[in-house]
Amino acid sequence: MQTWQSHPVPRVSGTPKPLRLHDTASAEIRLTTPGPTATMYVCGITPYDATHLGHAATYLAFDLVHRVWLDNGHQVHYVQNVTDIDDPLLERAERDQDDWVVLGMRETALFREDMTALRVLPPREYVGAVESIPEVVEAVAKLLANGAAYRADDAEYPDIYFDHKASGHFGSESRYDEATMARFFAERGGDPDRVGKRHPLDALLWRVARPGEPSWDSELGAGRPGWHIECSAIALNRLGMGIDLQGGGSDLIFPHHEFSAAHAEALTGRHPFAHHYTHSAMIGLDGEKMSKSKGNLVFVSRLRADNVDPMAVRLGLLSGHYRTDRTWTQDVLDEANARIARWRTAVESPTGPAAAPLIAELRDHLSNDLDTPKAIAAIDAWATQTGTDVTAPGEARAAIDALLGILL
Ligand code: ZN
C-alpha cells in the first residue's frame, strides 16, 4: 500500500542522546538499544472512520521515537499496517449502505492526508491486511502444523484458533492477571463465548467464510484473517524477530499486543517478539472519554477543514506527556496557537540567546521517555530571553523542526 509523503529532517548540531523509553512488559523506563537500523512496528488504523485526536496522539508519540533515533544516527525501518478487512469495517459499511472496499480506501486516504498535515514521518512500509493475506495464511498453516493452533469444534464453521498458552510466555507483555485479561478480551473484540473453542481466551486466527461476507480462497479453506495474526505476520516478514519496538494506544496492550507477540513467538520459537512495548495514553474531550459511542470524537480532518493550524494541533497534543491520559479543550488549542506565535517571533528574530544549551535540554527531555512538557517549557524559556547570537534563531528553528516536528 502507498505510504504518505515525507519531508526532510534537518540535522541538529551538538551531541545526541540515546532514547530511554517506557516498556509495558517490564514496567520500566529502559534504554532502547537499536543497531544501525532501528526497527519499529506501530499498529495502524481500521479505516472505518476518520482519524481522531486519540489516533493522532499515538502516531505523534512514535513519530518522536522515530525522530530521536534519527538524531542518534540510526536508520529507522518503520512498518505500519492498515486493518482494511475486519468486523468494524464491515459493520460500518453495512450500516451506511457503503461498499467496504471503498469505505476503507476513502478513510485510509484521509488518514494519509492527516498524517502529512501533522508532519508525522511516514513508515518505510505501509501494509494493508488484504494485501498480506498470503502471509497470514502461511503463518496460520505453520501454527496449525506445530500444534499452536486448532480448528474450532464446529462442523459448519471450523474457524482456526490460537491456543493462548502455546508460546509459553502469554501474559509477559501486558502483565495482566487472568480476570483482567478476560474482561479486556470480552470488551475489545474477543469472542470468549464462542462455542467450540478450547479456552475462552483463545484468539481467532482465520475465520471461515460466511454467506455474504468477503472471503479469500486459501489452503486453509475460504475465509479471512483474524486481527492479531495480521500484525505478527506483517512485522515478522519485514522486520524479523526481536524488533526494537512495538507501539500503539494503551487499549492495544491486551489482547492485541499480547497475542501478536504470542503468535510471533509460537511461529519462531523465540522470545521476546519486541524489546520494547510502548503505549500511548488516551485523549478525552472537555474532561470526558472520547469515544464513538459518546459521539464526541474530534477528527483531525474536521479541524483542518476549520482552518486550524495542524502545527497547533500537533503542539497541543504534545503539550501533555504521551503516557498521561489527557483532555482536549479549546484552551489547549488556544494555548498552542499562542505558543507557536511566540516561538515564531523568537526564531524569526535576527539574534537570540545561544541555541546550544536549548538543544541539549531538548535532547535531555526527549530522551527521557519523550518528556515533551519539559521540552516545550525549555523552548518557552529560551523564546522569552534576548541575546546577541546571530545563528541561534536558525539553529533553534532546525532543532524544533527535527526533534519535535514543529515547523515554525
Ligand atoms: Zn497491530
Side-chain angles (χ1 to χ4, degrees):
M1 197 171 265
Q2 190 193 340
T3 188
W4 58 91
Q5 203 184 331
S6 192
H7 55 265
V9 179
R11 285 185 62 85
V12 183
S13 55
T15 311
K17 218 165 162 191
L19 176 64
R20 293 167 55 77
L21 197 62
H22 185 265
D23 167 40
T24 301
S26 59
E28 285 176 347
I29 294 170
R30 293 170 35 234
L31 191 64
T32 60
T33 53
T37 299
T39 48
M40 173 161 76
Y41 186 91
V42 179
C43 291
I45 57 164
T46 301
Y48 64 89
D49 212 342
T51 320
H52 58 69
L53 288 177
H55 296 132
T58 296
Y59 299 112
L60 286 177
F62 297 103
D63 188 52
L64 296 183
V65 171
H66 196 159
R67 289 169 184 276
V68 174
W69 278 342
L70 288 177
D71 186 45
N72 277 273
H74 302 285
Q75 302 281 320
V76 180
H77 190 170
Y78 174 17
V79 177
Q80 186 180 135
N81 67 308
V82 190
T83 305
D84 56 359
I85 176 68
D86 204 4
D87 293 343
L89 184 66
L90 298 176
E91 286 160 13
R92 178 62 61 94
E94 166 122 22
R95 188 196 80 179
D96 296 349
Q97 295 289 294
D98 210 344
D99 179 317
W100 65 273
V101 175
V102 175
L103 171 64
M105 286 175 71
R106 193 170 63 228
E107 297 303 348
T108 304
L110 196 56
F111 175 74
R112 288 193 195 96
E113 280 181 27
D114 290 338
M115 292 297 106
T116 306
L118 292 173
R119 298 185 91 240
V120 174
L121 293 168
R124 189 186 293 183
E125 294 178 273
Y126 191 46
V127 187
V130 171
E131 66 188 350
S132 61
I133 283 175
E135 300 176 39
V136 170
V137 168
E138 191 187 344
V140 174
K142 197 169 169 189
L143 291 170
L144 271 176
N146 75 13
Y150 63 91
R151 294 266 180 187
D153 185 10
D154 177 339
E156 193 178 14
Y157 297 122
D159 299 329
I160 304 174
Y161 280 88
F162 179 76
D163 170 358
H164 72 286
K165 292 217 164 76
S167 71
H169 297 283
F170 197 74
S172 63
E173 181 269 338
S174 66
R175 307 161 64 97
Y176 291 156
D177 60 25
E178 190 145 337
T180 309
M181 287 182 184
R183 179 161 62 87
F184 285 139
F185 189 79
E187 284 175 12
R188 297 173 180 167
D191 53 358
D193 302 324
R194 164 77 159 104
V195 176
K197 291 204 309 185
R198 292 181 190 163
H199 190 285
L201 274 182
D202 291 351
L204 180 72
L205 292 168
W206 186 255
R207 178 177 164 89
V208 168
R210 267 55 162 186
E213 285 187 11
S215 63
W216 287 263
D217 286 329
S218 79
E219 63 180 275
L220 306 170
R224 60 182 167 96
W227 176 31
H228 318 306
I229 190 66
E230 168 195 337
C231 286
S232 316
I234 291 173
L236 276 182
N237 288 336
R238 286 158 188 80
L239 301 171
M241 198 58 186
I243 61 176
D244 290 303
L245 168 65
Q246 183 177 25
S250 58
D251 53 345
L252 298 189
I253 293 173
F254 193 91
H256 186 56
H257 285 177
E258 192 74 66
F259 273 105
S260 53
H263 296 339
E265 291 168 357
L267 280 164
T268 60
R270 289 171 54 201
H271 172 82
F273 168 56
H275 293 295
H276 269 76
Y277 298 95
T278 300
H279 298 101
S280 65
M282 298 286 119
I283 304 292
L285 176 68
D286 298 325
E288 279 203 13
K289 189 173 185 281
M290 205 185 282
S291 71
K292 57 176 183 285
S293 56
K294 287 207 169 91
N296 64 348
L297 297 174
V298 177
F299 297 114
V300 174
S301 45
R302 179 57 204 259
L303 292 171
R304 291 196 288 120
D306 289 343
N307 287 320
V308 172
D309 178 0
M311 289 300 92
V313 176
R314 183 172 176 116
L315 186 57
L317 288 171
L318 294 181
S319 66
H321 191 264
Y322 80 98
R323 283 197 298 117
T324 307
D325 285 336
R326 285 157 281 161
T327 186
W328 183 262
T329 61
Q330 186 62 42
D331 283 352
V332 170
L333 182 58
D334 291 345
E335 195 182 316
N337 271 312
R339 181 171 267 138
I340 283 182
R342 289 198 303 275
W343 290 4
R344 279 202 175 120
T345 304
V347 300
E348 282 165 5
S349 164
T351 64
L358 168 65
I359 293 169
E361 263 198 89
L362 288 181
R363 283 179 165 137
D364 274 348
H365 296 314
L366 291 175
S367 67
N368 179 24
D369 198 28
L370 309 175
D371 192 342
T372 51
K374 283 192 181 152
I376 288 169
I379 301 168
D380 283 344
W382 178 85
T384 56
Q385 295 158 25
T386 53
T388 55
D389 189 325
V390 292
T391 60
E395 288 174 42
R397 187 205 295 256
I400 293 166
D401 177 355
L403 298 173
L404 281 177
I406 305 274
L407 184 66
L408 294 173

